[in-house]
Every structure is written in structure tokens, then in C-alpha cells.
Amino acid sequence: MAKDGTSRGGARIGAGQKKKPLADKILEGNPGRRKLMVMEFTDAADLEGQSMPPPREYLAAKQKNGKTTLAVEIYEKTWQWLKERRCEHLIPAQLIEQYAQSVARWIQCEECITEFGFLAKHPTTGNAIPSPYVAMSQSFMKQANNLWYQIYQVVRENCASEFKGATPHDDVMEKLLTARRGG
């Protein structure tokens, strides 16, 4: 502890080398010689998987302008992507909900920037100021990215085979453009 009473040094969250994906460990012949947890269910009983937990009501709530956000659609698409990789049971539904809401709010802020512009009027002086939607948009996008990295890290660490292709997060800009067109 320092003289000013604050703790410094020591292990910090997120510090250190990131875990290597399972697929990379398998390709390299398991250089650490530790037992790898590979989840493959080839000759298991034909079990019926759990269906997607329904998204909470707040994701589908009507906004002040009467529209609904895209949160439910993003939630469902992300859940389906995780299910295709057999990782849906590793990610808490709350994390997916937070991700979906953050992306939906980011899209909503971007729509407001398109509608109202980058400048706003100061409430007392009347002078031009930067639109608050710009800062909110950046904040929601940062939050969505952080949540996606958490989800993707779990998938990356537990997937036995390397996968390619689009992820739900790659499709965020397409969602924004589709929402702007109204469709």
C-alpha cells in the first residue's frame, strides 16, 4: 500500500498474456502438455438441445417515439450463432442481452445523429454545441465492442476447430444501414 492509502501493483484484471484458442493448441500439438478440454459429442445419445431462452421484455419495449429497437433481433441472431458453434451454454443469457441492447442503442443514437445532425443548441446560451448523441453513440459502441469481445473470447477458447465467416458483430453496420432505410 502506498503512503496515500491506495493499493498499487499486483495482479490486475485483464493483465497478462491472453489464452491461446483451443484450435491453435491442437494444431501445435499441445506444447504445454496439459490435458485439453475438447468438447466433441460425436457418439453421444441423441439429446434434444435447450431452446433459446426468451429475451426479456425490456429488449422489446417500445421507445418514446413509438418504435421498437432491434435488440430482440440482435439477441436471437447472436444466440443462433453461438448455438451453431455449440457454445450457447457457456455464455450467460444476460451477457447476450446486454450486448444486444448496447448495439440497439448505438443504432438508435446513429439514427438520431442522422435526423438531428452533429450540432445542437445549448439550452441556456443558444450557442451551437456538439450533439450529445455523438458522445452517447461512441459510448454505446465501446460498450458493445467490450461485450462482444467477452462473448467471442469464450467461443474462441472453447472451439475445437477453426471457424471462418461472418459473426453477428460483423453485421452491426449492415443493421445500422438497414434501420436507416426503414427496412
Side-chain angles (χ1 to χ4, degrees):
M1 184 168 301
K3 287 182 183 180
D4 62 358
T6 58
S7 298
R8 297 188 184 136
R12 288 176 288 290
I13 296 173
Q17 188 174 0
K18 302 288 183 232
K19 290 184 177 180
K20 189 180 282 193
L22 180 63
D24 290 351
K25 290 179 187 177
I26 292 171
L27 281 174
E28 294 173 4
N30 191 14
R33 302 287 182 239
R34 290 193 179 122
K35 185 177 180 186
L36 299 177
M37 189 177 109
V38 178
M39 300 174 66
E40 289 186 29
F41 305 105
T42 54
D43 48 310
D46 188 22
L47 300 174
E48 194 171 311
Q50 179 185 2
S51 62
M52 177 181 74
R56 295 201 188 150
E57 291 178 20
Y58 76 91
L59 293 176
K62 288 207 183 286
Q63 304 304 302
K64 189 173 182 179
N65 63 3
K67 295 179 182 178
T68 56
T69 63
L70 297 171
V72 172
E73 181 184 339
I74 295 165
Y75 174 86
E76 290 171 351
K77 189 169 186 175
T78 305
W79 178 268
Q80 187 61 38
W81 184 83
L82 289 167
K83 187 170 181 142
E84 289 169 2
R85 280 140 191 86
R86 297 181 180 177
C87 291
E88 77 277 5
H89 64 285
L90 300 172
I91 310 289
Q94 183 180 13
L95 186 61
I96 303 170
E97 288 171 353
Q98 289 173 351
Y99 169 72
Q101 187 71 355
S102 294
V103 171
R105 292 286 186 218
W106 172 71
I107 291 172
Q108 194 175 21
C109 286
E110 289 295 324
E111 289 173 343
C112 289
I113 292 169
T114 301
E115 185 176 341
F116 302 119
F118 290 103
L119 296 176
K121 188 186 282 188
H122 192 277
T124 56
T125 64
N127 293 336
I129 60 171
S131 171
Y133 293 114
V134 174
M136 287 190 291
S137 173
Q138 291 170 343
S139 175
F140 282 121
M141 189 58 184
K142 181 177 181 183
Q143 187 177 18
N145 281 333
N146 287 336
L147 291 166
W148 176 252
Y149 293 143
Q150 290 177 32
I151 293 169
Y152 190 75
Q153 186 69 21
V154 171
V155 174
R156 191 173 155 237
E157 290 173 5
N158 292 287
C159 191
S161 61
E162 190 174 349
F163 58 89
K164 292 182 173 75
T167 67
H169 194 64
D170 295 338
D171 199 30
V172 168
M173 186 55 74
E174 184 63 33
K175 290 226 177 295
L176 173 66
L177 296 173
T178 305
R180 283 185 177 172
R181 279 186 256 140

